[in-house]
Amino acid sequence: MGRRRTNSSDLVSLDEKNQSGGKRKIIKRLASHKGTPDHIGEENQMLHRSQILQKTLKILELKPKLIFLTAPPNSGLSFLLEKLYSSLGQLNFKSITINTANMVKHQGFYYGIISQLSKGTNVPDNNASFIRSLNNLLPEQQHTVLMVRNAHVLNNVNPALFVATCKLYQLTNKKVTVVMASHHSWEVFHQSIPLPKPIVVALPSYSREEVIDILFLKARELSPDHDSVSDDLLKSFCSTCIYDTFSPYTLSLKEMIKLSSELLPEYLRDEDNDSHVEGSKAKNAIALFQKIQPTLIKRTQKLFSLKQSKHVLDLPYNSRVLVVSGYLASHNPARLDKQFFCKARSSNKKSRSRKSKRIQEVLKGPKTFALERLIAIFAGITQDGTIPSSDVISSVSSLVSCGLFAKMSLSLIEQPKFKCLVNKDTAKALAKESGIDFEMYHYNH
């Protein structure tokens, strides 16, 4: 009898017996696992993502043209993509992967793909030549899987290239499957541009029980004495002290595991004997929670203060640089723009040598600026120095929505003016993330 072809109706979940058996094996392996305290661990995450991994691999066996993987942040999408990529060799597929998270220009996408197919090939300079290069370099017989992580960035940088990549099987006439992955839903892309219909695989967010389960496995691994600390005590610590306390501020598994590894020794500490509590002394979890409560309060306050700055640091490159440019526009005198942002900057050095003689201006908060000045400063502090005006308008609107910029002129006739609302520390952090020397451009530092 011939081998029956797998179809989408065969994509069934693992049965409860296999799932529980897999969980027992994972717990057994964790007993001997040595990892860093904030390391999540492959086994820990596989506990609740193995079914989706198997489902996606079965879909790939069908060799579809386009797959779209979507998931909320902090739901294991990056881990799933890594496991998926490492498993493609078992299917005898040629695999190519690229992460567009920090991509500024579409030429970086060309280079990232072409360099994995051929070392000596010149990088294309436009979409048409890129497709021609792929048509020449992709294998004729072997099936190829191209994985694009953070696909929404590619769509923002070059929508036409995003569409061409989705239609790669059609444009190259080669055996290729494109896997797009993003935290955005497919409807966001399809609303503005007609696109081929993909097979959508959606990862759900980790549930409370799943997160506590993973935290418990890690806490058991890190507990000072596996025999004397009860499971109930560790589960109480993971649920009450870690998840219920910190989930309003962060849903990152890595961050929660780091907090767990740092707080667990204090939670189990017997202050009278300066040693870790034993099972007979750890019956009252409420008392242990009350003991560590002051530390939990301090940690939540610190986490809350960092929440806004972390959100800002997650911005795309152009948006980060625009925030820095807006801060400089709001705090630097406009009359000194040529001195600070001219490419030659010879006069800037002269000004620095006379810093002691310069009269300090008294700045009463951030000042307003026009879009033209924002674009000029952006051009002065970046290597490239170019950004399309349409991208600026779109990015500035997003920054206003996020509360990083404020629109000051509401008139439809007057030119719109804005004000940057971030503080100096945030602007410096964004500049550092973007490779910009903040002190070189900031006046009166």
Side-chain angles (χ1 to χ4, degrees):
M1 293 178 64
R3 182 181 178 184
R4 185 173 66 88
R5 182 185 176 93
T6 307
N7 53 51
S8 53
S9 63
D10 294 321
L11 304 180
V12 295
S13 303
L14 298 176
D15 55 64
E16 295 296 329
K17 181 178 180 180
N18 289 340
Q19 187 176 10
S20 60
K23 183 175 179 179
R24 287 194 296 270
K25 291 179 182 178
I26 289 171
I27 295 175
K28 186 176 181 180
R29 286 199 300 269
L30 277 174
S32 60
H33 176 71
K34 303 295 183 181
T36 56
D38 60 345
H39 176 66
I40 297 176
E42 180 177 309
E43 297 90 346
N44 295 11
Q45 283 194 286
M46 279 302 294
L47 183 63
H48 296 294
R49 287 295 178 256
S50 60
Q51 296 181 35
I52 298 178
L53 175 62
Q54 294 300 322
K55 174 182 176 180
T56 309
L57 287 172
K58 285 184 176 293
I59 293 174
L60 281 170
E61 287 180 359
L62 303 176
K63 300 179 180 179
K65 309 305 181 185
L66 181 62
I67 299 175
F68 186 78
L69 290 173
T70 180
N74 303 312
S75 55
L77 180 59
S78 296
F79 169 78
L80 179 68
L81 291 171
E82 291 171 4
K83 292 296 296 179
L84 192 63
Y85 181 76
S86 63
S87 302
L88 291 177
Q90 302 173 9
L91 301 176
N92 196 28
F93 288 164
K94 171 71 176 178
S95 55
I96 305 171
T97 182
I98 185 168
N99 189 348
T100 62
N102 296 315
M103 189 177 73
V104 180
K105 286 189 160 188
H106 55 268
Q107 284 83 356
F109 186 80
Y110 299 158
Y111 176 78
I113 302 293
I114 298 298
S115 61
Q116 295 181 58
L117 293 170
S118 176
K119 298 297 183 182
T121 306
N122 294 329
V123 179
D125 55 2
N126 56 61
N127 293 348
S129 59
F130 172 64
I131 297 299
R132 285 195 298 269
S133 297
L134 286 181
N135 197 35
N136 294 329
L137 295 174
L138 288 173
E140 293 287 346
Q141 301 300 326
Q142 187 181 22
H143 194 81
T144 302
V145 176
L146 169 60
M147 297 176 58
V148 182
R149 300 173 64 173
N150 294 286
H152 55 278
V153 179
L154 174 62
N155 186 49
N156 292 336
V157 173
N158 192 325
L161 180 58
F162 177 82
V163 175
T165 306
C166 289
K167 297 181 178 180
L168 205 58
Y169 67 93
Q170 181 180 349
L171 297 175
T172 61
N173 199 26
K174 294 293 181 70
K175 299 176 181 178
V176 58
T177 295
V178 176
V179 179
M180 293 285 187
S182 174
H183 292 305
H184 298 243
S185 66
W186 178 251
E187 288 71 20
V188 173
F189 302 92
H190 190 62
Q191 283 177 353
S192 56
I193 307 172
L195 292 168
K197 186 177 181 180
I199 297 177
V200 178
V201 179
L203 277 72
S205 300
Y206 282 118
S207 66
R208 180 181 184 274
E209 291 73 21
E210 288 173 341
V211 174
I212 292 174
D213 201 4
I214 295 173
L215 290 174
F216 167 73
L217 290 175
K218 193 63 182 179
R220 170 56 68 195
E221 177 188 353
L222 296 172
S223 57
D225 191 328
H226 287 211
D227 297 326
S228 65
V229 182
S230 68
D231 288 352
D232 290 340
L233 182 65
L234 287 180
K235 288 180 180 179
S236 175
F237 167 76
C238 294
S239 60
T240 306
C241 297
I242 302 300
Y243 186 88
D244 293 342
T245 302
F246 297 107
S247 59
Y249 308 99
T250 179
L251 291 175
S252 168
L253 265 176
K254 186 174 182 180
E255 196 161 11
M256 283 194 180
I257 287 176
K258 184 177 181 181
L259 288 165
S260 175
S261 65
E262 293 173 351
L263 295 174
L264 182 60
E266 182 178 348
Y267 180 78
L268 297 176
R269 178 73 62 185
D270 186 347
E271 296 179 351
D272 296 332
N273 299 322
D274 194 27
S275 62
H276 287 92
V277 297
E278 298 177 359
S280 59
K281 297 181 180 180
K283 295 180 180 179
N284 193 347
I286 297 177
L288 292 176
F289 174 77
Q290 291 174 342
K291 181 188 71 172
I292 201 175
Q293 194 170 21
T295 302
L296 295 178
I297 293 174
K298 292 179 182 179
R299 288 301 186 97
T300 53
Q301 291 173 343
K302 182 179 179 181
L303 202 59
F304 178 77
S305 64
L306 293 175
K307 185 179 180 182
Q308 292 299 325
S309 60
K310 284 187 176 182
H311 172 71
V312 171
L313 291 175
D314 287 337
L315 292 170
Y317 174 81
N318 279 352
S319 297
R320 293 200 303 264
V321 179
L322 281 172
V323 173
V324 177
S325 304
Y327 180 88
L328 296 173
S330 288
H331 293 82
N332 282 15
R335 59 184 173 81
L336 297 179
D337 282 356
K338 185 176 180 181
Q339 172 181 315
F340 277 97
F341 307 117
C342 177
K343 289 297 182 182
R345 281 197 282 272
S346 58
S347 58
N348 188 19
K349 295 180 180 178
K350 183 177 180 180
S351 173
R352 289 175 183 273
S353 64
R354 298 178 181 177
K355 182 178 177 181
S356 59
K357 299 179 182 180
R358 189 172 58 195
I359 300 176
Q360 304 293 332
E361 288 190 2
V362 179
L363 302 177
K364 297 180 180 180
K367 296 181 172 60
T368 60
F369 56 85
L371 275 177
E372 285 80 359
R373 187 174 177 224
L374 180 69
I375 296 173
I377 293 176
F378 183 98
I381 66 177
T382 55
Q383 296 290 334
D384 183 292
T386 59
I387 180 173
S389 298
S390 58
D391 291 351
V392 173
I393 296 172
S394 174
S395 298
V396 168
S397 298
S398 299
L399 295 175
V400 171
S401 301
C402 293
L404 304 177
F405 280 6
K407 188 174 182 180
M408 306 306 297
S409 56
L410 301 179
S411 173
L412 297 176
I413 300 176
E414 295 180 1
Q415 184 186 39
K417 291 188 177 181
F418 302 88
K419 181 185 291 186
C420 183
L421 302 181
V422 304
N423 57 32
K424 183 179 178 180
D425 290 339
T426 302
K428 289 178 70 174
L430 288 171
K432 183 178 180 181
E433 283 285 318
S434 306
I436 296 171
D437 187 349
F438 180 81
E439 300 297 340
M440 177 182 291
Y441 303 105
H442 182 227
Y443 177 76
N444 196 28
H445 51 270

